[in-house]
Amino acid sequence: ENQVVIITGGAGGIGQVSAKRFLEEGAKVALWDRSAAGLSSALAHLDVDKDHLRAYELSVTDAGQVEKTFMQVEKDLGEVDVLICNAGITRDAMVHKMEETQFDDVIEVNLKGVFLCGQAAAKLIDYHHPDQFELSPESALLLAVEDTGTSFAGGAFTGGTPPETIDKLAEE
């Protein structure tokens, strides 16, 4: 309750379902996505007051945008407790037919985006709790979800979220 949760890729299906669950648990949720139209649709679908749900358009592949948006979320909703790196793309092609630029796009969003978001979160944790910062296996959760043949991988960094909340989300 009253935890601040950032969900990258928040305009999509998994992002919206995750947001809905955290909102039901009393969290404040920041949806991050590169699609303004998707974010508008997600806000309309979730239909929650502005004090508990905000949307931010950005690219998780841009370090400057990521850091700036983290600061804006803290200003709007409070200190961030949970980061769910859900943004991900696919470029479906057989490996021998895939263009290098397609591969680069996937790596940029799915790996670099997770790194940049995790790095920005770690900087804020260290800033707010300089004597307590440690990213241990207990404070990092890697999720892998298989949905209709499309692989999705993301990570979540938690800072005080009850494990049962994350367990409930992972079960659904």
Side-chain angles (χ1 to χ4, degrees), residues 26-167:
K28 297 176 183 176
V29 176
L31 299 177
W32 288 17
D33 207 283
R34 64 182 179 178
S35 169
L39 286 168
S40 293
S41 176
L43 288 174
H45 175 75
L46 293 166
D47 191 33
V48 177
D49 68 81
K50 187 175 158 180
D51 292 336
H52 286 87
L53 180 64
R54 297 283 180 101
Y56 303 85
E57 181 185 359
L58 74 149
S59 171
V60 295
T61 65
D62 183 312
Q65 286 184 28
V66 168
E67 289 192 16
K68 180 181 173 186
T69 308
F70 258 103
M71 300 303 279
Q72 189 61 50
V73 169
E74 288 209 335
K75 183 178 178 183
D76 294 342
L77 300 174
E79 187 177 328
V80 176
D81 299 292
V82 180
L83 166 63
I84 300 178
C85 295
N86 176 59
I89 63 170
T90 60
R91 298 291 184 252
D92 292 331
M94 300 293 288
V95 71
H96 63 283
K97 294 182 180 181
M98 181 178 272
E99 299 288 328
E100 184 177 353
T101 56
Q102 292 174 302
F103 180 77
D104 290 343
D105 290 345
V106 171
I107 295 300
E108 189 82 359
V109 174
N110 298 6
L111 296 180
K112 182 180 178 185
V114 172
F115 168 75
L116 292 176
C117 290
Q119 183 181 54
K123 287 178 184 178
L124 283 176
I125 293 167
D126 190 39
Y127 172 78
H128 291 298
H129 311 283
D131 298 329
Q132 300 172 15
F133 180 69
E134 176 184 339
L135 188 58
S136 64
E138 294 80 29
S139 64
L141 172 65
L142 183 62
L143 299 175
V145 178
E146 183 86 7
D147 181 30
T148 62
T150 302
S151 295
F152 164 81
F157 295 89
T158 67
T161 301
E164 58 273 8
T165 301
I166 295 171
D167 290 344

